[in-house]
PDB file of all heavy atoms in Angstrom:
ATOM      1  N   VAL O 474     123.047  89.725  89.783  1.00  0.00           N
ATOM      2  CA  VAL O 474     122.818  91.224  89.874  1.00  0.00           C
ATOM      3  C   VAL O 474     124.158  91.928  89.737  1.00  0.00           C
ATOM      4  O   VAL O 474     125.068  91.531  90.289  1.00  0.00           O
ATOM      5  CB  VAL O 474     122.313  91.628  91.290  1.00  0.00           C
ATOM      6  CG1 VAL O 474     122.050  92.962  91.409  1.00  0.00           C
ATOM      7  CG2 VAL O 474     120.960  90.816  91.629  1.00  0.00           C
ATOM      8  N   SER O 475     124.095  92.929  88.811  1.00  0.00           N
ATOM      9  CA  SER O 475     125.278  93.770  88.613  1.00  0.00           C
ATOM     10  C   SER O 475     124.839  95.215  88.747  1.00  0.00           C
ATOM     11  O   SER O 475     123.707  95.530  88.955  1.00  0.00           O
ATOM     12  CB  SER O 475     125.911  93.521  87.204  1.00  0.00           C
ATOM     13  OG  SER O 475     124.843  93.759  86.168  1.00  0.00           O
ATOM     14  N   TYR O 476     125.828  96.168  88.676  1.00  0.00           N
ATOM     15  CA  TYR O 476     125.519  97.555  89.078  1.00  0.00           C
ATOM     16  C   TYR O 476     126.263  98.420  88.042  1.00  0.00           C
ATOM     17  O   TYR O 476     127.282  98.191  87.421  1.00  0.00           O
ATOM     18  CB  TYR O 476     126.175  97.731  90.418  1.00  0.00           C
ATOM     19  CG  TYR O 476     125.560  96.811  91.553  1.00  0.00           C
ATOM     20  CD1 TYR O 476     126.212  95.565  91.645  1.00  0.00           C
ATOM     21  CD2 TYR O 476     124.410  97.070  92.158  1.00  0.00           C
ATOM     22  CE1 TYR O 476     125.608  94.616  92.594  1.00  0.00           C
ATOM     23  CE2 TYR O 476     123.863  96.217  93.089  1.00  0.00           C
ATOM     24  CZ  TYR O 476     124.467  95.006  93.266  1.00  0.00           C
ATOM     25  OH  TYR O 476     124.005  94.131  94.186  1.00  0.00           O
ATOM     26  N   ALA O 477     125.594  99.657  87.929  1.00  0.00           N
ATOM     27  CA  ALA O 477     126.154 100.695  87.095  1.00  0.00           C
ATOM     28  C   ALA O 477     125.799 102.038  87.656  1.00  0.00           C
ATOM     29  O   ALA O 477     124.741 102.167  88.330  1.00  0.00           O
ATOM     30  CB  ALA O 477     125.614 100.555  85.596  1.00  0.00           C
ATOM     31  N   GLU O 478     126.615 102.997  87.460  1.00  0.00           N
ATOM     32  CA  GLU O 478     126.449 104.330  87.941  1.00  0.00           C
ATOM     33  C   GLU O 478     125.705 105.296  86.998  1.00  0.00           C
ATOM     34  O   GLU O 478     125.956 105.277  85.701  1.00  0.00           O
ATOM     35  CB  GLU O 478     127.728 105.007  88.380  1.00  0.00           C
ATOM     36  CG  GLU O 478     128.513 104.247  89.505  1.00  0.00           C
ATOM     37  CD  GLU O 478     129.830 104.901  89.732  1.00  0.00           C
ATOM     38  OE1 GLU O 478     130.240 105.820  89.148  1.00  0.00           O
ATOM     39  OE2 GLU O 478     130.566 104.340  90.667  1.00  0.00           O
ATOM     40  N   GLN O 479     124.843 106.161  87.571  1.00  0.00           N
ATOM     41  CA  GLN O 479     124.300 107.272  86.809  1.00  0.00           C
ATOM     42  C   GLN O 479     124.668 108.490  87.636  1.00  0.00           C
ATOM     43  O   GLN O 479     124.136 108.776  88.624  1.00  0.00           O
ATOM     44  CB  GLN O 479     122.771 107.191  86.729  1.00  0.00           C
ATOM     45  CG  GLN O 479     122.145 108.308  85.803  1.00  0.00           C
ATOM     46  CD  GLN O 479     120.599 108.263  85.822  1.00  0.00           C
ATOM     47  OE1 GLN O 479     120.024 108.177  86.842  1.00  0.00           O
ATOM     48  NE2 GLN O 479     120.026 108.247  84.624  1.00  0.00           N
ATOM     49  N   ALA O 480     125.659 109.286  87.175  1.00  0.00           N
ATOM     50  CA  ALA O 480     126.239 110.374  87.804  1.00  0.00           C
ATOM     51  C   ALA O 480     125.175 111.444  88.141  1.00  0.00           C
ATOM     52  O   ALA O 480     125.325 112.026  89.314  1.00  0.00           O
ATOM     53  CB  ALA O 480     127.373 110.905  87.088  1.00  0.00           C
ATOM     54  N   GLU O 481     124.273 111.725  87.302  1.00  0.00           N
ATOM     55  CA  GLU O 481     123.216 112.682  87.514  1.00  0.00           C
ATOM     56  C   GLU O 481     121.956 112.334  86.664  1.00  0.00           C
ATOM     57  O   GLU O 481     122.074 111.537  85.694  1.00  0.00           O
ATOM     58  CB  GLU O 481     123.676 114.059  86.991  1.00  0.00           C
ATOM     59  CG  GLU O 481     124.086 114.148  85.546  1.00  0.00           C
ATOM     60  CD  GLU O 481     124.665 115.452  85.171  1.00  0.00           C
ATOM     61  OE1 GLU O 481     125.167 116.203  86.073  1.00  0.00           O
ATOM     62  OE2 GLU O 481     124.640 115.782  83.859  1.00  0.00           O
ATOM     63  N   PRO O 482     120.945 112.720  87.181  1.00  0.00           N
ATOM     64  CA  PRO O 482     119.643 112.295  86.406  1.00  0.00           C
ATOM     65  C   PRO O 482     119.627 112.816  85.034  1.00  0.00           C
ATOM     66  O   PRO O 482     119.758 114.014  84.858  1.00  0.00           O
ATOM     67  CB  PRO O 482     118.515 112.956  87.300  1.00  0.00           C
ATOM     68  CG  PRO O 482     119.083 113.273  88.689  1.00  0.00           C
ATOM     69  CD  PRO O 482     120.592 113.577  88.387  1.00  0.00           C
ATOM     70  N   ARG O 483     119.356 111.896  84.061  1.00  0.00           N
ATOM     71  CA  ARG O 483     119.315 112.406  82.665  1.00  0.00           C
ATOM     72  C   ARG O 483     118.109 111.684  81.915  1.00  0.00           C
ATOM     73  O   ARG O 483     118.121 111.489  80.787  1.00  0.00           O
ATOM     74  CB  ARG O 483     120.616 111.879  81.961  1.00  0.00           C
ATOM     75  CG  ARG O 483     121.877 112.584  82.443  1.00  0.00           C
ATOM     76  CD  ARG O 483     123.130 112.221  81.544  1.00  0.00           C
ATOM     77  NE  ARG O 483     123.454 110.881  81.737  1.00  0.00           N
ATOM     78  CZ  ARG O 483     124.347 110.347  82.596  1.00  0.00           C
ATOM     79  NH1 ARG O 483     124.990 111.243  83.426  1.00  0.00           N
ATOM     80  NH2 ARG O 483     124.606 109.126  82.609  1.00  0.00           N
ATOM     81  N   GLY O 484     117.141 111.393  82.708  1.00  0.00           N
ATOM     82  CA  GLY O 484     115.887 110.828  82.163  1.00  0.00           C
ATOM     83  C   GLY O 484     115.889 109.271  82.229  1.00  0.00           C
ATOM     84  O   GLY O 484     116.887 108.654  82.368  1.00  0.00           O
ATOM     85  N   ILE O 485     114.615 108.831  82.208  1.00  0.00           N
ATOM     86  CA  ILE O 485     114.508 107.324  82.333  1.00  0.00           C
ATOM     87  C   ILE O 485     115.056 106.585  81.206  1.00  0.00           C
ATOM     88  O   ILE O 485     115.780 105.481  81.401  1.00  0.00           O
ATOM     89  CB  ILE O 485     113.010 106.975  82.501  1.00  0.00           C
ATOM     90  CG1 ILE O 485     112.351 107.698  83.681  1.00  0.00           C
ATOM     91  CG2 ILE O 485     112.806 105.478  82.486  1.00  0.00           C
ATOM     92  CD1 ILE O 485     110.847 107.517  83.777  1.00  0.00           C
ATOM     93  N   ALA O 486     115.010 107.112  80.005  1.00  0.00           N
ATOM     94  CA  ALA O 486     115.580 106.410  78.805  1.00  0.00           C
ATOM     95  C   ALA O 486     117.083 106.256  78.916  1.00  0.00           C
ATOM     96  O   ALA O 486     117.703 105.503  78.276  1.00  0.00           O
ATOM     97  CB  ALA O 486     115.083 107.085  77.512  1.00  0.00           C
ATOM     98  N   ASP O 487     117.768 107.130  79.715  1.00  0.00           N
ATOM     99  CA  ASP O 487     119.179 107.106  79.878  1.00  0.00           C
ATOM    100  C   ASP O 487     119.589 105.734  80.421  1.00  0.00           C
ATOM    101  O   ASP O 487     120.746 105.300  80.218  1.00  0.00           O
ATOM    102  CB  ASP O 487     119.635 108.175  80.720  1.00  0.00           C
ATOM    103  CG  ASP O 487     121.156 108.222  80.928  1.00  0.00           C
ATOM    104  OD1 ASP O 487     121.804 108.246  79.897  1.00  0.00           O
ATOM    105  OD2 ASP O 487     121.681 108.305  82.067  1.00  0.00           O
TER     106      ASP O 487
END
Side-chain angles (χ1 to χ4, degrees):
V474 182
S475 54
Y476 305 87
E478 297 179 357
Q479 186 186 51
E481 60 185 22
R483 292 188 296 266
I485 298 173
D487 185 50

